[in-house]
Amino acid sequence: MLFRSFDQVVKYEFGDDVRDIDWNVTARLGEPYRKKFVEEREVTLLLVFEDSPSLHFGSGAQSKREALLELAGLVMLLGAVNRDRVGFVHAAPGGTLFREPVRGRGRILHLAASLLSRPAPDPAAAAPVLPWSFLSRAAPKHSILIWLGDFPPVARGPRGAQPDGWTVLQRRYQTMGFRVDDPWEREFPAARLAAYDPSAGRLVTLDGGSAERAAHAAWVREREAAWLGLFPDPLARLVVSTEENRLDALVRFFHARMRAGRG
């Protein structure tokens, strides 16, 4: 869908649309002037928030879920500022909530508040099931689909295997992936400690032995392989830390895309 935004006032020339004549300027200057508009393609953003129980994890002041919801809210706010259409799909163990894309700052902010207020899933619940066939019809063709989630390798299959329906979505939409990492995921903690594992639903003790460090390194390799399998283009994936400024990271990400000519 195309819409027009006002650019400037220019002299009227034969063949121009008379409906664009600016009669106030024409009367003041004594010759016909018209309003010039720039046609822009309307952008639709569809956020897919995969609310996995593993997002409960957080070694610092903020959990991964809180940081990822903040990132989702910032994306929706930027969409409102850019006059885009914004909608979301919230996939949780208890079911899926869909809000169709809307336009207008007030409506989008209301939509963002609806997403941010969704209750957190039970840490003992199973991972949500994403409705792939529905997602392929949830937004117009050529929309931007941003998948926000934890992306654990066990949920994506071995060595970056793609879920059923992902290839269809990549053909229909511009697909991006946003992920939040906890510092303990990036680097194995040095001190011996006890921590709750939301994925396993139990308390585990980490002593920092070689076997644990090797298992952590293998997990990191598997996750990165799965992550790159879904989003091989570096300009289609964003990874931020719970300790990082999400707005700064988001602005850098979209500036990089703009410099590459991808909007």
Side-chain angles (χ1 to χ4, degrees), residues 73-220:
L74 289 170
V75 172
M76 298 174 84
L77 180 60
L78 289 176
V81 171
N82 290 333
R83 299 187 304 170
D84 300 330
R85 294 176 65 87
V86 180
F88 74 80
V89 174
H90 176 260
T96 300
L97 175 68
F98 170 60
R99 290 290 181 262
E100 63 180 278
V102 297
R103 193 175 171 200
R105 186 169 301 187
R107 299 175 72 187
I108 293 175
L109 291 179
H110 178 75
L111 212 66
S114 175
L115 174 60
L116 269 59
S117 64
R118 298 298 296 166
D122 187 334
V129 177
L130 287 169
W132 296 110
S133 59
F134 172 77
L135 289 175
S136 65
R137 308 186 305 272
K141 196 172 183 181
H142 305 304
S143 297
I144 298 174
L145 183 146
I146 303 178
W147 181 4
L148 302 101
D150 200 20
F151 301 98
V154 292
R156 305 289 156 239
R159 297 298 173 187
Q162 296 179 348
D164 293 338
W166 182 241
T167 303
V168 175
L169 263 65
Q170 286 182 306
R171 287 199 299 263
R172 181 174 177 84
Y173 304 130
Q174 294 184 55
T175 54
M176 303 181 196
F178 288 0
R179 189 184 89 199
V180 170
D181 284 356
D182 185 88
W184 285 5
E185 293 177 319
R186 295 185 173 183
E187 185 176 355
F188 195 87
R192 187 176 187 274
L193 52 87
Y196 178 74
D197 182 353
S199 300
R202 60 188 177 88
L203 192 68
V204 296
T205 301
L206 304 175
D207 58 17
S210 58
E212 288 180 350
R213 293 186 178 280
H216 176 265
W219 178 84
V220 170

Side-chain angles (χ1 to χ4, degrees), residues 16 24 50 64 111-112 120 141:
D16 290 341
N24 291 329
E50 186 181 9
K64 294 171 63 177
L111 212 66
K141 196 172 183 181

Side-chain angles (χ1 to χ4, degrees), residues 18-110:
V18 295
R19 293 175 297 182
D20 291 336
I21 292 178
D22 189 320
W23 295 107
N24 291 329
V25 176
T26 296
R28 188 167 63 248
L29 298 180
E31 55 182 323
Y33 277 77
R34 69 173 179 87
K35 297 177 181 178
K36 181 181 178 182
F37 296 89
V38 177
E39 288 192 340
E40 301 175 1
R41 181 169 296 278
E42 186 177 66
V43 175
T44 298
L45 299 176
L46 180 65
L47 280 69
V48 179
F49 193 95
E50 186 181 9
D51 209 348
S52 304
S54 58
L55 289 174
H56 281 284
F57 181 73
S59 65
Q62 195 173 38
S63 71
K64 294 171 63 177
R65 184 178 190 271
E66 291 169 328
L68 196 63
L69 280 172
E70 179 187 318
L71 190 61
L74 289 170
V75 172
M76 298 174 84
L77 180 60
L78 289 176
V81 171
N82 290 333
R83 299 187 304 170
D84 300 330
R85 294 176 65 87
V86 180
F88 74 80
V89 174
H90 176 260
T96 300
L97 175 68
F98 170 60
R99 290 290 181 262
E100 63 180 278
V102 297
R103 193 175 171 200
R105 186 169 301 187
R107 299 175 72 187
I108 293 175
L109 291 179
H110 178 75

